[in-house]
Amino acid sequence: MNNHPHGQHGQTGVKKLNILIAYFLIYVVWGSTYFFIGVALKGFPPFLLGALRFTMAGLILLVICLQRGEAVFKKGLIRKSAVSGIVLLFIDMAVIMLAQQYVSSSLVAIVASSVAIWIMALDAPSWKSNFRNPAVVTGIIIGFIGVIALYIEQLQIDTLQSENRGYGMLILMFGCLSWALGTLYAKYRSSREEDVNAFAGSAWQMLFASAMFWIFTLIRGEWAATDFSSVPSSAWYSLVYLVIFGSLLAYSAYVWLLKVRPATEVATHAYVNPFIAVFFGVVFGHEAVTWIQIAGLIVILLSVALIGRQK
């Protein structure tokens, strides 16, 4: 009897530690994937990269789940995971790759960060708690301003044709809406089996996304056009990083966090990821950083602190 409260305290401590680790993964590791995707794309075409990444990650995670004795072949789990995987992973990533044909990567980063606003706007079950919390509303707004400051100078020197931007923006907005709806679907509409077997659900999501990537890889002829012997080792290493850290760890952490934390709070990764991307660009890509970008980074951190004040 006397040990019971102590046991509960220990479980709470473990859960808090797990939440901190999960946020580190979706903040820092996901942010670093921008850099590694850029390196990987120097050797792999975009849809083939997505196909390889999510096939390997999904199969590895599925094997791990089987070894742990999870019931991975339940129909409800597979059906709900198929929807989440295609809407969350495939559509969002495919849309970003297509949009970059029409708009700059800086504009992509800014519009993609607006997913946090979409999630807050569409998260009907949390409207009361979100919109009555000034810290959350303020944090969402200034976080978006911070991302704009991060890329505003690059936008000013953007030389892409303005007539193509409208098409690119429509594609991007569709991708943001897809990610927001997929996030909320994963949080509120997942099956009981998916709640119990969260990692098995992540595995199926990645496998269904990979199936879509393979279809478009073959349609676009990317497999036949790729000479794997000429792919640089840096691209292969980046692919391994994306599989292990970007998908197996970070994406699984994202799906788990949606079950235990408010969706608006989890969505702050959309603000922090560009922060980390700039850091990796400066440290590893030897890119220059300006005072306006530094100010944008500070504003982003402030916004995350404000949003994190919600219970």
Side-chain angles (χ1 to χ4, degrees):
M1 293 290 291
N2 293 333
N3 291 333
H4 184 66
H6 178 74
Q8 283 187 331
H9 179 74
Q11 291 178 352
T12 301
V14 170
K15 184 177 180 179
K16 287 183 177 179
L17 178 61
N18 289 338
I19 290 174
L20 287 175
I21 293 173
Y23 270 113
F24 174 83
L25 290 172
I26 71 169
Y27 280 175
V28 178
V29 174
W30 250 359
S32 70
T33 58
Y34 283 89
F35 174 80
F36 288 100
I37 286 174
V39 176
L41 286 174
K42 294 178 181 178
F44 299 101
F47 284 93
L48 178 58
L49 176 62
L52 293 172
R53 173 184 175 180
F54 291 115
T55 297
M56 289 189 282
L59 288 176
I60 291 172
L61 188 56
L62 199 64
V63 170
I64 292 174
C65 292
L66 285 170
Q67 290 180 335
R68 292 176 56 185
E70 292 190 27
V72 300
F73 295 108
K74 291 187 176 181
K75 291 183 179 179
L77 172 69
I78 296 174
R79 184 178 65 255
K80 294 293 181 70
S81 298
V83 175
S84 299
I86 293 174
V87 174
L88 261 177
L89 288 175
F90 172 72
I91 293 180
D92 181 73
M93 293 196 66
V95 157
I96 287 177
M97 289 186 291
L98 290 173
Q100 285 185 305
Q101 298 177 16
Y102 304 101
V103 298
S104 69
S105 58
S106 298
L107 188 57
V108 170
I110 290 174
V111 178
S113 71
S114 70
V115 71
I117 299 174
W118 280 107
I119 288 176
M120 183 177 182
L122 297 173
D123 189 7
S126 298
W127 278 349
K128 184 176 180 180
S129 60
N130 284 340
F131 289 104
R132 289 187 177 181
N133 189 330
V136 173
V137 176
T138 303
I140 289 289
I141 294 173
I142 70 172
F144 188 61
I145 294 173
V147 174
I148 293 176
L150 203 61
Y151 293 102
I152 190 65
E153 292 177 317
Q154 181 62 37
L155 283 175
Q156 291 174 347
I157 61 174
D158 186 6
T159 58
L160 293 177
Q161 296 294 323
S162 60
E163 58 265 24
N164 291 332
R165 285 191 180 183
Y167 185 53
M169 286 290 291
L170 287 175
I171 296 176
L172 276 174
M173 294 306 293
F174 175 73
C176 290
L177 184 60
S178 173
W179 180 268
L181 291 173
T183 292
L184 296 174
Y185 180 88
K187 180 173 182 63
Y188 296 116
R189 301 299 182 188
S190 60
S191 62
R192 191 182 67 83
E193 292 88 351
E194 202 171 351
D195 289 336
V196 175
N197 303 311
F199 292 110
S202 297
W204 284 116
Q205 288 173 23
M206 287 186 275
L207 288 175
F208 277 104
S210 72
M212 297 299 297
F213 274 109
W214 279 117
I215 291 172
F216 280 83
T217 295
L218 297 176
I219 291 175
R220 291 165 57 94
E222 291 184 355
W223 176 269
T226 302
D227 181 7
F228 288 94
S229 63
S230 65
V231 174
S233 57
S234 59
W236 286 109
Y237 293 143
S238 295
L239 174 59
V240 172
Y241 181 90
L242 292 170
V243 169
I244 297 175
F245 294 97
S247 296
L248 286 176
L249 295 178
Y251 183 70
S252 296
Y254 181 75
V255 173
W256 178 77
L257 270 175
L258 287 174
K259 305 297 182 185
V260 299
R261 298 300 301 163
T264 303
E265 180 185 296
V266 179
T268 54
H269 76 86
Y271 294 157
V272 180
N273 289 164
F275 176 105
I276 300 299
V278 169
F279 174 81
F280 268 76
V282 171
V283 174
F284 298 103
H286 307 292
E287 299 174 359
V289 62
T290 67
W291 286 108
I292 293 179
Q293 289 176 317
I294 292 175
L297 298 178
I298 294 173
V299 170
I300 289 171
L301 290 180
L302 176 61
S303 74
V304 173
L306 286 171
I307 297 170
R309 292 177 60 185
Q310 65 179 315
K311 300 298 183 182

